[in-house]
Amino acid sequence: MGKFYITTPIYYPSDNLHIGHAYTTVAADVLARYHRLIGDDTYFLTGTDEHGQKIQRKAEAQGTSPQAYVDGIVAGIKNLWQRLAITNDDFIRTTERRHELGVQEIFRRLYEQGDIYKSEYEGWYCTPCESFWLQRQLAEGKCPDCGREVELVKEESYFFRLSKYADRLLEHIEANPDFIQPVSRKNEMVNNFLRPGLEDLAVSRTTFNWGIQVPFDPKHVVYVWLDALSNYITALGYPDTADPNWRHWPAAVHLVGKEIVRFHTIIWPIALMALGLPLPKQIYGHGWLVLDGGKMSKSKGNVIDPLVLIDWYGLDAIRYYLLREIPFGADGFYSKEALILRINNDLANDLGNLLHRTLSMLERFSGGRVAAPAGYEPLDLEVQAVARESISGLEKHLGRLEIGDALASVFKLVGKTNKYIDDAAPWSLARRPELADRLATVLYTMAETLRITAILLTPFLVETPGKIWRQLGLDGDPANAWKQLTWGGFPAGTLTVKGDPIFPRIETKRKEPEAAQAPAAPPPSPAEAKTVAQIGIEEFSRIDLRVAEVLAAERVEGAAKLLRLTVRVNGADRQIVAGIAEHYAPEALVGREIVVVANLKPAKLRGLLSEGMLLAASNEQGRVVLITPEQRIGQGSRVK
Ligand code: MSP
């Protein structure tokens, strides 16, 4: 068993996060899920970078304290990760005591051993990037990274002796070609920053106070990047190296956006060298998700809200699009058209249709039952060969962080099987009783590729593998079946359970939400609108609608559509049985706030007591989405 510690950058809670941030975290989630599946001792960390001048100014502008300001945004970030079904093992906030103590200790050690010294800083500072620049590094007087105004800073400061370690770092980079990936980023770091020579870095500030105090000189706060980078070890217990989580160090991968590779490949490794700690195995700088006007940013007003996209298109559609569309190291354009094309072509046509065709043919030609194969012919063996290639392709690509290629590898099997069905033509075989054995083999081959596909999709998608699995009539959970990827694992005799299409096509004619706005609910059809009688407000007020918090959720055995939820409402726990199992994975619900009819008479569903009903919206394409408060408000809140 190997070990695999993966981190995302810790995000600035200066604003709500957008789809670009979601991109990094979803990618890290896929890698963490994959390494858990293959049995590695995996640890996945994300969190928030809460100090610094930028946040302090933002809070001041809102007339609130920095802590209150970040608390609100961080709650939203945690909710976003839950909605995206992110499987992080820990979430570190730099305002937590465990982190502050760790950073103070790091600062003290570096100072005591002479790697940090006091002097005076005079130079430029970019507050949005929290970055120091020398005059010669500026681009036409502006920040060379983000192009915004820089400020002249002159203050007493502690300095970190980067220069002392520059040669050792360069040697390390040259001797370990995987240390900075992709290689273009390595060249950029070496040629633009390391070869010209490193200056010592100012690592404390005195002109504001929203930061971690320098322990022996309290008018200084620690420079926010030294504070932030340390999260990767303070979250594991550092400086307490007896902490059980310390075993995860060094990280296998720090996943970061390309503009912050510099901090991670210069300041961070030098800090670790100075502390006598091993360096991370790899820093991977991925590209940006850009819109027509360039990089997404709140100040440009061109951000895409991931929650809106999830509500509108579904969780797995969004995860799939992000992972498949953009080659991981490069920049990629976000567009609604490309998203819809991916959903319609790959998910609805290729994958959805393969499942639908397979189950329909099984239903028509063998009463829904998957019989044992009766000998294989070359056509079938070709499919098996592609299945093996898909598995090895996925392993190879994920090992290199080529996430889109790994997904493409799975879809090669989907494409091959669709073609196989056309060639093997089970409908013709079904007309000739003497070919019953051949028909059984073809139907088995179809079902078996879907079983393998469902397993292979488990690192990437959250709800779809289970939906495929249940429609195939298989027991258990595809996420526990990684060891059963060898051909022939489909239990002969299984009865399939055909359900709704897993990815309804998106009608491009339908009105889409504007990028950053919440989508309007689909309007009722005129017929529907007419048949619903009007009621008075008093009648409506008899319905006690309340916000409830989902405490637990699980599938109901033998009922493919039902979930059994434990919710807390008005301070008490109750059970609600809801027909949403084909639309939501139970784990995606826990912790969320939903809306329930709290005064509905209890009823029994499949023998289970349901004490209330949750509210959900459905459209004509069969999509079902939960009604949830727009922000967390607390269980028991009245909805009216
Ligand atoms: N707080 C620092 C990181 C400290 S890590 C020790 C920071 N935060 S950030 O919130 O500004 O950005 C976090 C990550 O989100 C970065 O890796 C950044 O590249 C990524 N992204 C922000 N916008 C993005 C896109 N439009 N596309 C892809 N990634 C994007 O930097």
Side-chain angles (χ1 to χ4, degrees):
M1 183 171 88
K3 60 184 199 130
F4 188 76
Y5 174 31
I6 183 165
T7 64
T8 71
I10 50 172
Y11 299 92
Y12 288 129
S14 43
D15 273 310
N16 290 331
L17 300 190
H18 57 63
I19 193 80
H21 304 110
Y23 173 67
T24 315
T25 311
V26 168
D29 183 58
V30 170
L31 296 168
R33 284 174 185 260
Y34 172 67
H35 281 269
R36 281 189 207 109
L37 286 169
I38 62 172
D40 284 346
D41 181 14
T42 301
Y43 203 70
F44 172 18
L45 177 70
T46 189
T48 40
D49 181 1
E50 307 189 4
H51 294 125
Q53 198 163 9
K54 174 163 66 174
I55 305 255
Q56 180 160 349
R57 285 188 183 164
K58 196 92 197 195
E60 275 161 9
Q62 304 241 333
T64 173
S65 72
Q67 189 67 57
Y69 181 79
V70 294
D71 282 351
I73 307 249
V74 170
I77 294 176
K78 288 187 170 173
N79 176 51
L80 173 62
W81 298 155
Q82 257 180 19
R83 296 287 312 279
L84 282 165
I86 302 300
T87 58
N88 52 303
D89 295 290
D90 195 0
F91 186 106
I92 185 153
R93 301 183 56 176
T94 55
T95 49
E96 281 169 333
R97 198 79 190 121
R98 58 172 173 159
H99 175 74
E100 294 184 342
L101 289 174
V103 169
Q104 287 184 326
E105 184 54 26
I106 290 168
F107 204 94
R108 189 199 318 272
R109 284 187 190 185
L110 296 178
Y111 179 72
E112 281 172 4
Q113 70 193 38
D115 282 331
I116 283 182
Y117 60 92
K118 197 165 171 174
S119 182
E120 169 109 344
Y121 177 77
E122 185 168 356
W124 299 95
Y125 196 76
C126 172
T127 305
C129 294
E130 300 283 11
S131 192
F132 292 101
W133 294 107
L134 302 169
Q135 176 73 38
R136 66 170 160 84
Q137 292 173 314
L138 298 182
E140 294 172 6
K142 305 263 170 67
C143 170
D145 266 2
C146 73
R148 282 179 274 207
E149 295 292 335
V150 286
E151 297 166 51
L152 192 60
V153 173
K154 184 171 191 278
E155 61 192 60
E156 180 185 278
S157 187
Y158 284 91
F159 280 75
F160 181 29
R161 288 189 204 281
L162 294 189
S163 52
K164 173 174 156 192
Y165 293 91
D167 290 346
R168 255 177 80 188
L169 177 60
L170 204 52
E171 262 168 45
H172 182 86
I173 292 174
E174 297 301 1
N176 295 277
D178 282 342
F179 183 60
I180 308 178
Q181 281 291 325
V183 70
S184 55
R185 313 241 186 266
K186 172 198 147 186
N187 296 339
E188 190 190 338
M189 289 306 119
V190 170
N191 299 333
N192 297 358
F193 293 98
L194 284 164
R195 293 235 187 267
L198 287 184
E199 312 262 342
D200 290 351
L201 174 75
V203 284
S204 75
R205 304 285 314 268
T206 50
T207 44
F208 64 94
N209 60 8
W210 180 237
I212 299 177
Q213 264 182 1
V214 171
F216 45 85
D217 196 349
K219 75 171 189 291
H220 287 255
V221 292
V222 176
Y223 171 45
V224 64
W225 269 100
L226 184 61
D227 164 354
L229 289 161
S230 307
N231 90 89
Y232 301 132
I233 55 175
T234 58
L236 302 181
Y238 191 82
D240 176 10
T241 50
D243 188 302
N245 278 329
W246 182 248
R247 74 178 190 282
H248 297 294
W249 190 257
V253 194
H254 291 312
L255 212 57
V256 301
K258 61 181 183 180
E259 85 286 15
I260 59 172
V261 168
R262 186 165 62 91
F263 301 94
H264 284 81
T265 56
I266 297 178
I267 306 176
W268 183 227
I270 291 184
L272 291 165
M273 280 177 180
L275 290 167
L277 295 175
L279 304 194
K281 298 271 177 276
Q282 183 167 92
I283 288 105
Y284 191 98
H286 65 70
W288 284 340
L289 209 54
V290 291
L291 294 175
D292 279 347
K295 195 183 170 208
M296 248 173 257
S297 80
K298 196 86 177 187
S299 55
K300 286 190 191 152
N302 64 351
V303 291
I304 305 281
D305 180 350
L307 291 176
V308 172
L309 293 185
I310 298 170
D311 287 344
W312 194 253
Y313 298 104
L315 171 59
D316 276 352
I318 300 308
R319 285 180 63 114
Y320 180 80
Y321 170 74
L322 290 176
L323 298 166
R324 178 75 197 266
E325 185 75 9
I326 298 125
F328 196 52
D331 286 353
F333 272 99
Y334 167 84
S335 87
K336 191 183 73 191
E337 291 70 29
L339 166 64
I340 293 177
L341 270 182
R342 281 287 174 199
I343 297 175
N344 285 350
N345 291 350
D346 299 10
L347 298 176
N349 282 3
D350 293 352
L351 178 63
N353 221 11
L354 174 61
L355 179 68
H356 189 73
R357 292 170 92 185
T358 301
L359 294 177
S360 302
M361 289 185 212
L362 277 162
E363 202 169 58
R364 273 172 33 223
F365 308 142
S366 77
R369 214 168 273 287
V370 180
Y376 289 116
E377 293 189 358
L379 198 61
D380 318 318
L381 296 174
E382 269 180 38
V383 176
Q384 296 181 25
V386 173
R388 280 194 301 275
E389 284 165 27
S390 288
I391 299 166
S392 59
L394 177 144
E395 286 166 351
K396 180 184 83 183
H397 289 302
L398 282 186
R400 299 184 191 154
L401 276 64
E402 295 159 350
I403 300 178
D405 293 333
L407 256 181
S409 202
V410 181
F411 274 74
K412 229 162 119 187
L413 178 60
V414 172
K416 175 72 189 174
T417 312
N418 271 320
K419 175 149 190 324
Y420 166 82
I421 299 175
D422 298 341
D423 295 342
W427 47 91
S428 312
L429 303 173
R431 283 197 292 271
R432 298 171 55 191
E434 74 278 17
L435 295 180
D437 277 359
R438 179 74 201 128
L439 178 63
T441 298
V442 172
L443 291 175
Y444 185 89
T445 300
M446 291 157 63
E448 174 63 349
T449 54
L450 276 161
R451 184 188 71 89
I452 291 176
T453 303
I455 301 173
L456 292 179
L457 287 175
T458 53
F460 309 93
L461 305 185
V462 180
E463 294 160 342
T464 308
K467 284 184 189 171
I468 298 176
W469 203 252
R470 286 187 292 284
Q471 293 205 20
L472 290 174
L474 296 168
D475 288 333
D477 185 341
N480 296 332
W482 198 261
K483 298 229 158 52
Q484 296 147 32
L485 276 169
T486 357
W487 188 270
F490 204 110
T494 303
L495 188 60
T496 55
V497 195
K498 190 158 145 249
D500 294 334
I502 49 171
F503 285 102
R505 280 182 66 80
I506 308 285
E507 295 306 328
T508 38
K509 285 196 297 293
R510 125 187 128 124
K511 189 178 173 326
E512 302 299 337
E514 289 309 318
Q517 292 168 2
S525 64
E528 251 179 296
K530 254 187 242 144
T531 51
V532 179
Q534 289 190 334
I535 58 167
I537 187 75
E538 18 6 279
E539 224 169 320
F540 174 72
S541 64
R542 291 175 55 209
I543 305 171
D544 186 24
L545 294 175
R546 296 279 170 174
V547 172
E549 183 177 349
V550 181
L551 302 178
E554 60 179 23
R555 298 186 190 290
V556 175
E557 204 143 316
K561 297 195 169 163
L562 295 186
L563 287 186
R564 182 224 298 256
L565 310 182
T566 309
V567 303
R568 179 161 300 162
V569 61
N570 299 336
D573 298 351
R574 52 167 99 175
Q575 171 167 295
I576 289 185
V577 180
I580 53 167
E582 287 170 336
H583 306 278
Y584 285 88
E587 58 275 15
L589 295 175
V590 177
R592 286 176 63 180
E593 289 186 341
I594 58 173
V595 177
V596 300
V597 182
N599 62 340
L600 196 69
K601 281 192 193 126
K604 278 209 164 160
L605 282 166
R606 296 281 185 120
L608 294 172
L609 188 66
S610 185
E611 305 161 292
M613 182 176 90
L614 57 77
L615 297 193
S618 56
N619 67 9
E620 285 167 8
Q621 285 80 38
R623 254 175 65 63
V624 171
V625 296
L626 285 175
I627 306 297
T628 60
E630 188 257 336
Q631 290 179 19
R632 284 193 87 80
I633 181 160
Q635 55 86 13
S637 304
R638 182 91 203 260
V639 179
K640 53 187 181 182

